[in-house]
Amino acid sequence: MINANILKAFGLDPATCEAKKFGSGHINNTFLLTSANGERYILQRINTYVFREPDVIARNQRLAADYLAKHHPDYLFITPIATVDGEELHREGEEYWRMIPFIPGSTSVDQADTPKQAYEAAKQFGKMARFLHGIDLREFRASIPNFHNLTLRYSAFQESIRHAKEDRKAFAAELTEAFLRHSDIAVTFESLKTDPQFTDRLMHHDTKINNVLLDKDTFEGICVCDLDTLMPGKIISDLGDMMRTYLSPVSEEERDFSQIAVRDEYFEALMRGYLSEVGGTLTETEKAHLFYAGKFMIYMQGIRFLTDYLNGDVYYPVKYPEHNYDRAKNQLTLLQRLIEKEPALQQVIDACLRQPA
Ligand code: ADP
Ligand code: GN1
Ligand code: MG
């Protein structure tokens, strides 16, 4: 299944090393390797359509690892295993591969099944953000330029409406209108961008719960993984993606939209977990936009799915023709469920800010 050269490059014996596909991400190809002596590794092929410059990922991770080793030496930050030639990435033809140690005793979940899991995951992302607060961002580059730039995502959405094939445009007309009616979310981002109190931070940018490793027995947080999009960004990205993915009992793949809901106890758990770590570092602007984070990320993900539907599914893998349309509709429903609860959830935020756990 895996080219022998790749395994050899990392010092593994292709004859005895077992590989199986692992995880459920959309972007990279992830494999679990088990060597003859039982050692386990995660091997990944980086998607170079999405990550045009894989070296940027490696460099950002190295800068963060060096900083953490100096300032927080006990913190578990996953770093790549070098090839036998001492490289962080192995190039095989046009493909880039990297390997990391499998963290023993860890597991991950695709969906938050208890408020404790939401708390633990949020705490792990918060802890990394806190430990990296203060790092010099000038050395870092974006592994995906403009990844969470809602202004550009919104323009790309408008562009996709203009260029869509007639059948897709007609099929998605109502959903497109509904997303356009929420354009205030993009307008708020516009004004925030120029606010000097809207701090630049090193953010993870993909805070889904399966990007946290939990203790397989106790489900306590161990560390975060999937560090490809670790790059300068804003607090609303990480907090918002947790709201997007932990609050509902069903995921972005759910097609029975009546099951989409915002669970109050999960909201409180994730807010407490995250703010218990980063609360003390927030500016007034950031504090005032904690609820907005959820709207920002759900809206952006919704228009990303819809843009891809209108563009003919060039980015997200689909299993059937309306898949991206359904994902976008799912996100619109989630956005509506969240907005309905804004007054009550804002009170939870205010309480957490007054009294961090
Ligand atoms: P993807 O881009 O496919 O989401 P990830 O880096 O998130 O790639 O890896 C996929 C899954 O593999 C994760 O959800 C996690 O369960 C598991 N995983 C990743 N890195 C490790 C690791 N170092 N140790 C143990 N499990 C890991
Ligand atoms: C992609 O690789 P994965 O599945 O963790 C995407 C995220 C989206 C997510 C939606 C690089 O993440 O931004 O939130 O799909 N990553 C990239 O499921 O585009
Ligand atoms: Mg992942």
Side-chain angles (χ1 to χ4, degrees):
M1 179 153 60
I2 291 171
N3 182 331
N5 290 339
I6 298 163
L7 298 174
K8 282 189 214 150
F10 288 104
L12 296 169
D13 176 5
T16 55
C17 187
E18 259 182 47
K20 63 172 196 227
K21 265 200 121 335
F22 201 63
S24 50
H26 287 310
I27 304 297
N28 293 321
N29 280 341
T30 303
F31 299 88
L32 175 66
L33 302 183
T34 311
S35 70
N37 60 10
E39 266 162 10
R40 289 185 294 171
Y41 307 92
I42 297 282
L43 179 73
Q44 291 177 311
R45 191 180 89 196
I46 298 176
N47 177 331
T48 46
Y49 173 73
V50 172
F51 297 101
R52 303 283 166 138
E53 294 182 90
D55 291 324
V56 171
I57 300 177
R59 185 183 147 78
N60 286 350
Q61 288 180 16
R62 192 180 339 117
L63 288 166
D66 290 349
Y67 177 88
L68 290 166
K70 191 162 161 213
H71 294 89
H72 303 281
D74 296 332
Y75 178 67
L76 178 54
F77 184 74
I78 300 176
T79 49
I81 296 172
T83 65
V84 287
D85 295 332
E87 304 288 340
E88 285 153 328
L89 292 170
H90 168 69
R91 192 167 173 177
E92 186 66 31
E94 292 300 299
E95 298 176 353
Y96 284 82
W97 291 79
R98 59 110 190 277
M99 194 165 86
I100 51 178
F102 183 93
I103 303 298
S106 72
T107 188
S108 71
V109 293
D110 283 331
Q111 201 61 33
D113 290 328
T114 60
K116 178 172 159 62
Q117 286 175 2
Y119 177 87
E120 289 293 322
K123 199 167 169 64
Q124 285 302 320
F125 285 114
K127 188 173 180 183
M128 186 171 75
R130 176 165 67 85
F131 282 174
L132 288 169
H133 187 56
I135 192 170
D136 184 355
L137 296 175
R138 287 171 303 182
E139 302 259 328
F140 287 84
R141 284 178 53 205
S143 51
I144 305 178
N146 292 306
F147 188 42
H148 283 182
N149 183 341
L150 181 54
T151 312
L152 288 191
R153 296 287 183 189
Y154 190 77
S155 307
F157 174 44
Q158 288 176 310
E159 186 85 348
S160 72
I161 302 169
R162 278 195 289 278
H163 296 294
K165 292 227 171 73
E166 279 311 319
D167 57 334
R168 286 201 171 211
K169 193 165 155 167
F171 183 79
E174 218 174 287
L175 186 59
T176 304
E177 276 307 313
F179 272 108
L180 290 172
R181 278 198 293 276
H182 283 289
S183 62
D184 59 293
I185 298 173
V187 174
T188 299
F189 180 70
E190 275 298 282
S191 63
L192 263 180
K193 275 194 312 194
T194 54
D195 185 334
Q197 282 217 44
F198 192 41
T199 314
D200 284 317
R201 297 166 174 271
L202 203 59
M203 290 279 106
H204 183 283
H205 289 104
D206 190 4
T207 54
K208 287 194 285 202
I209 203 155
N210 62 16
N211 286 331
V212 179
L213 300 182
L214 305 169
D215 182 296
K216 70 177 175 38
D217 301 317
T218 64
F219 288 98
E220 261 160 40
I222 299 177
C223 65
V224 308
C225 68
D226 205 348
L227 297 161
D228 297 336
T229 47
L230 183 75
M231 57 181 162
K234 304 289 184 181
I235 198 105
I236 53 174
S237 284
D238 282 15
L239 179 62
D241 212 32
M242 289 192 274
M243 291 164 72
R244 187 181 81 77
T245 55
Y246 305 177
L247 296 184
S248 175
V250 292
S251 80
E252 67 195 19
E253 294 296 318
E254 182 59 57
R255 284 195 274 167
D256 175 359
F257 304 125
S258 68
Q259 291 198 50
I260 299 170
V262 166
R263 300 174 291 184
D264 299 15
E265 67 279 32
Y266 284 69
F267 183 90
E268 177 161 4
L270 99 74
M271 232 8 122
R272 285 214 178 276
Y274 198 60
L275 295 183
S276 68
E277 294 287 343
V278 297
T281 72
L282 298 178
T283 64
E284 289 309 312
T285 299
E286 290 176 318
K287 284 184 194 164
H289 289 85
L290 299 178
F291 186 80
Y292 171 76
K295 294 198 285 187
F296 166 79
M297 280 306 298
I298 297 167
Y299 186 66
M300 185 158 65
Q301 191 59 56
I303 64 173
R304 285 179 69 191
F305 284 141
L306 188 52
T307 301
D308 202 32
Y309 174 76
L310 294 169
N311 284 341
D313 308 320
V314 292
Y315 192 87
Y316 291 107
V318 289
K319 297 205 172 97
Y320 59 96
E322 296 80 34
H323 200 159
N324 273 318
Y325 169 90
D326 285 341
R327 287 167 171 155
K329 195 159 181 178
N330 169 307
Q331 296 293 285
L332 179 75
T333 311
L334 181 60
L335 180 63
Q336 289 163 341
R337 295 291 88 82
L338 183 73
I339 290 172
E340 283 161 12
K341 289 198 166 176
E342 176 156 4
L345 297 179
Q346 186 57 51
Q347 284 189 11
V348 174
I349 294 176
D350 295 342
C352 291
L353 285 173
R354 272 196 306 273
Q355 199 182 46

